[in-house]
Amino acid sequence: MAGTTNKCLTAAVRRALASSALALIGASALVAHAQQAPKEQSNAAQLKPIVITGSLIRSTSLITPTPVQIISAKSLRQSGFTTINEVLHNLSSNGQGTLGQSFSFAFAAGASGVSLRGLTLGDTLTLIDGERTVPYPLLDDNQRDFVDTSVIPFLAVKRVDVLENGGSGLYGGDAIAGVVNIILRKQYQGFKVTFDTGQTEQRDGTMERFSFIGGEGNLATDGYNWYVSGDFRHQDQILARNRSGLWDQLNFLQFGGFNLTPGASAAENPIVFPPATDTGILINPNNPSQMTYLPGCSPSAQAADLCLVPNPRAQLQPPTTRVDLLGRFTKSLMDGWTASVQASYFDSVSEEVGGQGGDFAATNTGYPTGLFGFAMGPGAPVSVVPNPPLVITVPATYPGNPYGAAAPLVYDFPELGPAVLKTDTSTERLLATLRGNIAGWHLKARAGAMYSRMIMTQLGHIETQALQSALNNGYILGSPDGASLFAPPMETTPTSQLDVADVTGTHTVLRLWGGPLKAAVGVQWFRETHNEHAPPSCAAGLQPCDPVYVIGTEKDIAEYAQVDAPIIKQFELTGNVRYDHYQQFGGSTSGGVAGLFKPLVGTHWNWVTLRASWNRAFRPPSAAEGIQSGETFGAGAYQDPALCPTATPSGMAAGPGDFPTQCQLFLTGIQTANPRLRNVHSTNWSAGLVLTPIRQASLSVDYYNIRVENDIISQFEAGGLGDFTSLIRGPLVSLPFCPSSDTAGCTAAQLQTTQTPVGPILAATYPYINAGETHTSGFDVGLKAYYNLGRFGRVNLAAHWTHLLTYQETVINPLTGSPTTYELAGTHGPSGISGDTGNPKDRATASLGWSKGPLDLTGSVYYTGEFSITDPSSGIPTCASAIGFLARFPGLTAQTPSSFCFVHHFIDTNFYGSYQLTGHFQVHAAVQNAFNRQPPLDVQTYGSGSLFYPYDAAYAEAGAIGRFWTVGATYEF
């Protein structure tokens, strides 16, 4: 949904019902901290120096000044998941605004992304091997850049680092909330192949996965290494009809609401009239209250719910196919230098089903004003589509038409099937690296080119002029050639591209009392390009869809530096600074300082570490926000001041000099880019401690505080319906006019058809502006421990809990300059972001593992806390207003359970086990959602299922899927 404009769009598409409480099972996850081998934990000096995300300088210490979660390859396997995005999706620090592939109506359809600290995908920077990677061709909410995490090859991942703090001082823009750094293997010897297959307990959603990795050569002895990794994964769709529960139904009559199942009678759903049918209804052109049912349904049958037309393909999970190929070659050169080349090809295919394709097009054109269709695109003004049919009619000679004249039609066009969105996204990545030592400096130079291209196909959308022509020329409803006649596929090919080059050098400057002072300096250049167009027939206004486009190229050149200073043995200080200069948006300086203090070093009680950090981060406007873009949304009811000058805004009653049809328009907004935007900045600080009372266990507690300033929001969100930049009008047209001097207004008999002095309003433009602030704070608690049981094996424990203390969104009204602040922690707000995921105060993950010899068993628990369905930032501050927001309920009634006011907590429990049959052959199995927990009811969200089912796919998708079994085997030689 369109980020800041979604608060309008969602009025057309939300909310459904609330259900059952689920039992709490434990704390926090394997995903939170990597489980280290006993040898690694017992003696840090034996560790090989590595670069942990958040630093440019190698270190052997796993306790960093800034909190970093490290997820090892072993932890990834033991989670029971088979994709990286499933692991990242369950991070306790991943909050509201996260995106998954089950959100059928997402602008960035077919992708997954991470929203650390709930600050949206655009404020989380995702890296591969510490380097930027090309963003998804579609922007989240058609506003924010992000990296699709669903296409990362599983076997090639060595570990995942999650920096839970701003990282712009080292990595540049977009790292306001933190950084996810996916570290791939540097070399591999041998060959490993893995096969997995899985299925739900209902025997659907079948998954097959085949992975391999193979390579040879040892850098130390052979002077080279190469490896190739591949991953193929396919998963079938899961249909709503194969599940049962309040959370996947649309009939709310028992709770005082409406039956939103298509085809329900007017008594059950008065907001849709005439009611939809699969067989057709004709309206008397001379008496709109009179209807004739075509054969197959009747008024009595519809009243008895015998004409319901639920979408048989309504999805809970779309079918997906992914192919990932990765190759790397590394060569040792003279004097200790090495060169490597990495190439990858990722392809992701998804087929998402929406509502019935022809639903709305049967009775109107779907054009926002109801008067004209309009076309829009980059570099071209909005233009009118000439003579679009306002109402679809069957001719007087149509079989079953008793009126002797063309009759308006109500029909669902089942011959077209549901609206389908297919995305096929291929991503190519080439990266070359040269590293070595010269004059005491360790240098690393990299250059890369990355390109992502999507083929997006939309099916089931009616071209209204072609439909009317087909009916006039004898088309019979239900005929199999409907799609070819008036619903041709719409196709477009959005692309994104990233070219990058950087050079970094590290050097030991001098020795302090606590150890060597090390410095790192570097320069970076990159160019990012977006090119997204709406399908041609959509952009021309011929077929209904949102004619979105994003065009823009941004270049950045940056210099950065870091210093690590162990002042004394007890105290270490690190600092970084970076200056970026963007071609479009100018310069920005970011950076920060962090420190470690070990007060008891040198004593028997050397087990306490205090740490703190402060930094400034930023992100530049995206191409959609600040270069060139367009997107339509429903802005709300509006009175045309030129064509309806006398009607009262409250009553919209036409008076003398008014054109009554223009007294209450449904105004279309056009969201546009604003080249005058400033960069978004944030201040981020954290403080905490790490306790390691014994070598087998550590406990960390960290407080975080992030304040985002100059955040970019829509002018509509900031100033409301009337704060547009300009009105776009169509040509002059003849409309009913009220010439009477009667102050009570005109009767229908008094109206005269008159040409308008100005064209009716087509749309109003609302650019992006810097008018938002967000302040969020909370704390993380992490625990990891192991214990050797001798001949009884070994036990590992890892846990992570994130608690949200505050999440305040401030909107500054550009008309008055006055700020309004909303507290959204524990609510559904801000609901206009991504898929209206909700903003729970608590997320936690935990795992407990036991291993002995060839046997390895792990149980993992993923917990999401309760939150309210209210969202004061969207004008729904009470439970009553939230429940009735989309007219599923007319408001709170005696039949409405009070439990509907909250989305109750959800717990997902996974188990994983492996057994090493031989030195080369291993079998493994996993069960996800082992206790078959149902998702809690969420009557507020619009971000789940293809018919807006009332459950939260962002946090409880495992509940909708149900118990899922996986078995597999790995052979290595």
Side-chain angles (χ1 to χ4, degrees):
M1 288 291 170
T4 56
T5 62
N6 244 350
K7 295 175 182 177
C8 336
L9 294 173
T10 54
V13 290
R14 283 198 196 170
R15 324 307 186 207
L17 274 153
S19 140
S20 56
L22 305 170
L24 173 63
I25 307 179
S28 317
L30 171 78
V31 120
H33 285 287
Q35 298 175 1
Q36 303 297 328
K39 182 178 179 180
E40 294 175 327
Q41 291 193 349
S42 64
N43 189 346
Q46 298 174 6
L47 290 173
K48 181 180 179 181
I50 59 173
V51 177
I52 299 295
T53 301
S55 176
L56 301 174
I57 298 171
R58 293 175 176 268
S59 173
T60 59
S61 175
L62 296 180
I63 299 178
T64 56
T66 302
V68 179
Q69 293 187 46
I70 305 173
I71 311 168
S72 68
K74 182 179 180 181
S75 297
L76 295 174
R77 294 192 303 271
Q78 290 174 329
S79 69
F81 298 124
T82 56
T83 65
I84 295 295
N85 63 287
E86 289 175 303
V87 176
L88 296 177
H89 193 77
N90 285 284
L91 289 170
S92 65
S93 54
N94 184 31
Q96 77 85 25
T98 185
L99 180 66
Q101 289 182 303
S102 293
F103 179 23
S104 302
F105 297 91
F107 275 97
S112 297
V114 180
S115 176
L116 294 179
R117 306 303 187 197
L119 291 177
T120 77
L121 275 62
D123 288 341
T124 299
L125 179 62
T126 301
L127 308 173
I128 298 179
D129 283 335
E131 187 63 85
R132 288 176 174 268
T133 192
V134 62
Y136 196 59
L138 304 179
L139 281 69
D140 178 39
D141 290 339
N142 200 50
Q143 180 182 358
R144 293 174 289 271
D145 290 337
F146 74 102
V147 172
D148 179 17
T149 59
S150 67
V151 295
I152 308 299
F154 201 78
L155 270 186
V157 175
K158 182 179 181 181
R159 71 175 198 274
V160 178
D161 292 353
V162 182
L163 174 66
E164 300 174 322
N165 216 335
S168 292
L170 296 178
Y171 304 111
D174 308 332
I176 283 178
V179 178
V180 175
N181 190 6
I182 298 164
I183 311 296
L184 303 178
R185 297 175 185 268
K186 300 298 183 290
Q187 58 177 315
Y188 188 85
Q189 295 172 307
F191 186 79
K192 179 191 292 187
V193 59
T194 294
F195 177 76
D196 296 279
T197 186
Q199 197 175 67
T200 72
E201 195 156 277
Q202 286 78 15
R203 297 189 177 183
D204 58 6
T206 301
M207 181 273 295
E208 301 95 12
R209 171 176 167 259
F210 173 78
S211 302
F212 72 88
I213 184 170
E216 70 174 9
N218 186 297
L219 276 177
T221 58
D222 302 322
Y224 74 94
N225 177 263
W226 65 264
Y227 76 83
V228 177
S229 174
D231 193 292
F232 169 84
R233 187 182 189 276
H234 173 79
Q235 186 152 16
D236 292 339
Q237 66 181 347
I238 295 178
L239 300 177
R241 68 188 185 192
N242 295 329
R243 301 293 185 273
S244 62
L246 286 177
W247 57 272
D248 75 336
Q249 65 147 312
L250 301 174
N251 186 347
F252 307 101
L253 293 175
Q254 62 179 311
F255 304 109
F258 300 144
N259 184 358
L260 301 183
T261 307
S265 68
E268 295 180 349
N269 187 5
I271 62 174
V272 177
F273 186 82
T277 75
D278 256 0
T279 55
I281 298 175
L282 303 184
I283 308 297
N284 187 339
N286 300 312
N287 181 6
S289 63
Q290 182 181 359
M291 298 182 295
T292 295
Y293 281 69
L294 295 175
C297 186
S298 66
S300 59
Q302 189 150 54
D305 284 343
L306 299 179
C307 301
L308 298 179
V309 287
N311 186 344
R313 288 190 59 191
Q315 294 173 341
L316 301 178
Q317 174 181 284
T320 57
T321 302
R322 301 169 196 161
V323 178
D324 302 329
L325 295 172
L326 172 71
R328 181 184 177 102
F329 176 77
T330 306
K331 174 66 176 171
S332 295
L333 306 176
M334 294 184 298
D335 300 323
W337 285 73
T338 61
S340 65
V341 177
Q342 184 185 98
S344 62
Y345 174 83
F346 307 146
D347 188 78
S348 177
V349 179
S350 177
E351 183 175 314
E352 300 178 349
V353 171
Q356 191 70 21
D359 283 346
F360 72 92
T363 54
N364 59 66
T365 65
Y367 298 114
T369 64
L371 287 174
F372 299 101
F374 63 81
M376 59 176 278
V382 172
S383 59
V384 176
V385 177
N387 303 318
L390 302 182
V391 176
I392 300 299
T393 60
V394 298
T397 56
Y398 189 85
N401 183 357
Y403 302 119
L409 169 69
V410 178
Y411 183 57
D412 278 333
F413 292 93
E415 61 263 45
L416 301 182
V420 174
L421 177 62
K422 296 181 179 180
T423 58
D424 185 347
T425 308
S426 59
T427 301
E428 299 157 6
R429 189 171 184 266
L430 180 65
L431 188 69
T433 304
L434 178 68
R435 68 176 71 212
N437 299 300
I438 184 170
W441 286 84
H442 179 74
L443 299 180
K444 180 172 68 173
R446 289 188 295 192
M450 307 160 207
Y451 181 76
S452 186
R453 180 179 185 268
M454 172 186 290
I455 300 175
M456 176 193 289
T457 306
Q458 300 179 59
L459 306 175
H461 295 273
I462 291 175
E463 185 178 337
T464 52
Q465 291 179 337
L467 168 61
Q468 188 62 68
S469 176
L471 289 168
N472 293 342
N473 287 285
Y475 179 77
I476 301 299
L477 300 178
S479 299
D481 56 345
S484 62
L485 290 175
F486 51 79
M490 294 188 292
E491 186 173 290
T492 186
T493 55
T495 64
S496 59
Q497 184 173 345
L498 180 69
D499 302 307
V500 62
D502 54 60
V503 178
T504 303
T506 60
H507 183 61
T508 299
V509 179
L510 54 87
R511 177 165 292 276
L512 301 176
W513 288 336
L517 185 149
K518 297 179 180 180
V521 296
V523 294
Q524 184 181 56
W525 171 89
F526 69 81
R527 177 179 59 197
E528 183 178 305
T529 300
H530 281 277
N531 191 341
E532 176 188 354
H533 294 265
S537 59
C538 170
L542 300 177
Q543 286 181 276
C545 74
D546 187 357
V548 298
Y549 63 89
V550 178
I551 307 293
T553 296
E554 185 57 275
K555 299 176 184 178
D556 176 46
I557 187 166
E559 307 88 34
Y560 49 92
Q562 178 188 344
V563 174
D564 279 4
I567 308 298
I568 56 177
K569 290 184 178 180
Q570 292 84 3
F571 181 59
E572 175 185 340
L573 187 66
T574 182
N576 59 71
V577 64
R578 178 175 172 126
Y579 177 77
D580 290 81
H581 188 273
Y582 283 82
Q583 179 186 38
Q584 180 77 24
F585 304 108
S588 185
T589 301
S590 55
V593 294
L596 277 179
F597 179 51
K598 301 180 180 180
L600 303 178
V601 166
T603 72
H604 179 69
W605 303 101
N606 181 19
W607 52 272
V608 178
T609 301
L610 304 178
R611 61 185 176 188
S613 67
W614 176 95
N615 70 79
R616 287 281 287 173
F618 82 102
R619 76 168 179 89
S622 68
E625 293 169 331
I627 301 181
Q628 189 179 23
S629 69
E631 172 203 343
T632 63
F633 65 95
Y638 185 71
Q639 178 179 336
D640 189 332
L643 300 182
C644 184
T646 64
T648 60
S650 59
M652 300 293 183
D658 290 341
F659 291 84
T661 59
Q662 304 304 293
C663 292
Q664 193 168 9
L665 301 169
F666 187 71
L667 183 65
T668 293
I670 299 180
Q671 189 68 58
T672 61
N674 180 1
R676 295 180 297 277
L677 288 174
R678 302 184 305 276
N679 290 331
V680 179
H681 287 276
S682 72
T683 302
N684 185 324
W685 66 274
S686 66
L689 59 86
V690 181
L691 304 177
T692 52
I694 56 176
R695 69 180 186 180
Q696 295 95 340
S698 68
L699 173 69
S700 63
V701 180
D702 292 281
Y703 169 82
Y704 69 88
N705 190 302
I706 306 172
R707 186 177 297 275
V708 182
E709 302 161 337
N710 293 327
D711 211 358
I712 298 171
I713 63 176
S714 169
Q715 186 168 298
F716 175 84
E717 182 181 353
L721 185 68
D723 190 25
F724 47 77
T725 299
S726 63
L727 286 174
I728 300 172
R729 294 183 178 273
L732 303 183
V733 65
S734 294
L735 293 174
F737 177 68
C738 179
S740 172
S741 59
D742 184 355
T743 57
C746 289
T747 65
Q750 294 172 314
L751 294 176
Q752 301 175 4
T753 300
T754 304
Q755 188 179 67
T756 59
V758 295
I761 296 173
L762 287 179
T765 60
Y766 297 90
Y768 288 107
I769 59 175
N770 294 102
E773 294 184 2
T774 304
H775 176 222
T776 183
S777 65
F779 59 81
D780 299 302
V781 178
L783 171 66
K784 56 182 179 180
Y786 75 94
Y787 189 74
N788 285 318
L789 302 174
R791 62 191 181 91
F792 296 105
R794 167 190 165 99
V795 175
N796 293 280
L797 172 67
H800 202 271
W801 167 38
T802 297
H803 177 72
L804 182 63
L805 292 171
T806 187
Y807 192 105
Q808 294 179 340
E809 183 183 71
T810 298
V811 176
I812 302 170
N813 189 310
L815 298 176
T816 64
S818 60
T820 303
T821 299
Y822 307 98
E823 176 56 68
L824 302 179
T827 74
H828 228 296
S831 58
I833 302 298
S834 297
D836 190 9
T837 64
N839 208 345
K841 287 188 175 181
D842 294 288
R843 293 202 77 190
T845 58
S847 69
L848 180 64
W850 174 79
S851 59
K852 182 179 185 301
L855 181 63
D856 189 355
L857 302 175
T858 301
S860 303
V861 176
Y862 305 91
Y863 170 80
T864 299
E866 178 181 271
F867 54 96
S868 166
I869 66 170
T870 62
D871 177 11
S873 68
S874 294
I876 45 177
T878 65
C879 179
S881 61
I883 283 181
F885 192 75
L886 279 190
R888 287 187 173 120
F889 304 96
L892 281 172
T893 70
Q895 299 148 289
T896 305
S898 60
S899 62
F900 283 17
C901 297
F902 295 90
V903 181
H904 297 289
H905 68 262
F906 178 70
I907 299 170
D908 176 25
T909 304
N910 294 355
F911 293 106
Y912 171 86
S914 65
Y915 190 84
Q916 197 73 34
L917 288 172
T918 70
H920 301 282
F921 188 62
Q922 180 202 80
V923 293
H924 51 265
V927 55
Q928 300 172 29
N929 192 7
F931 299 107
N932 209 25
R933 301 290 184 182
Q934 296 282 297
L937 213 62
D938 184 348
V939 302
Q940 158 79 328
T941 189
Y942 56 79
S944 57
S946 55
L947 287 179
F948 307 110
Y949 291 105
Y951 76 96
D952 203 321
Y955 303 124
E957 180 68 12
I961 293 172
R963 187 179 289 118
F964 192 94
W965 298 92
T966 303
V967 296
T970 297
Y971 189 82
E972 185 172 6
F973 54 89

